[in-house]
Amino acid sequence: RVMSLTDGTSKMSKSDPSDASRINVLDPPETIREKIKKCKTDSFEGIEWDNPERPEATNLLNIYLAVQPGRTKEDILEEVSDMTWGQFKPLLADAIVNHLQPIQERYHEVRNDETKLNQILKEGADAANAVAKQTLYSTKVAMGIVTPIED
């Protein structure tokens, strides 16, 4: 569960009126860096995980862990525990930007190729229709509207 950038005790949500409370998948790198730079932190020394008095620290560390597959809490704590927020936030922002970059590139690639976009949408619709057709048939059999077809 990823928490808000403006309140470490509230869930991050796209319905939050403040855009600064979340990282949007298509936010440009500079926007991500600004949001992380301005996100809520605390005045305690060092950075630590799972301290109930420091929900923002736990949240930012969880985000850092989430965008770096293959890393562990222990590994990350070893790297960042003695840092200040001023040192950690740029590191976090870079990790988020690097994690989202291939997703954003793929999005723009698909959006800029209308033929490919329509092909992807058609494949998705065909797959959904196949599932829906089977579900509707199963429902009709269960309700006794049709008799099952024997193989």
Side-chain angles (χ1 to χ4, degrees):
R1 180 180 220 183
V2 179
M3 308 308 273
S4 169
L5 296 177
T6 55
D7 176 5
T9 61
S10 298
K11 190 174 152 210
M12 188 180 283
S13 172
K14 63 184 178 197
S15 63
D16 189 310
S18 172
D19 192 55
S21 71
R22 66 187 166 272
I23 301 294
N24 299 300
V25 173
L26 296 177
D27 277 346
E30 222 22 70
T31 300
I32 292 170
R33 287 186 175 87
E34 278 301 307
K35 287 180 179 183
I36 294 300
K37 185 177 180 182
K38 293 177 181 180
C39 73
K40 184 178 177 189
T41 53
D42 56 45
S43 57
F44 293 103
E45 237 179 82
I47 300 175
E48 62 180 331
W49 231 303
D50 298 326
N51 180 339
E53 294 180 26
R54 303 185 71 189
E56 287 80 14
T58 296
N59 183 42
L60 296 181
L61 285 167
N62 283 338
I63 293 170
Y64 192 57
L65 176 65
V67 297
Q68 297 184 91
R71 295 204 56 193
T72 64
K73 279 185 168 186
E74 295 75 23
D75 169 40
I76 287 173
L77 272 179
E78 188 175 313
E79 175 190 9
V80 306
S81 63
D82 294 328
M83 288 184 176
T84 64
W85 288 118
Q87 294 167 317
F88 177 68
K89 284 182 174 184
L91 199 64
L92 172 60
D94 287 343
I96 294 169
V97 167
N98 290 337
H99 183 75
L100 291 178
Q101 182 180 1
I103 297 166
Q104 292 177 350
E105 286 173 356
R106 178 74 174 130
Y107 171 84
H108 292 298
E109 176 187 320
V110 169
R111 288 295 297 176
N112 291 331
D113 184 345
E114 194 169 330
T115 302
K116 181 144 185 128
L117 175 60
N118 288 330
Q119 176 192 350
I120 291 169
L121 291 172
K122 183 181 179 337
E123 288 169 4
D126 290 347
N129 282 334
V131 171
K133 184 176 178 181
Q134 181 59 45
T135 301
L136 181 59
Y137 173 75
S138 297
T139 303
K140 287 180 178 180
V141 169
M143 295 175 69
I145 296 172
V146 297
T147 53
I149 301 170
E150 306 236 352
D151 291 327

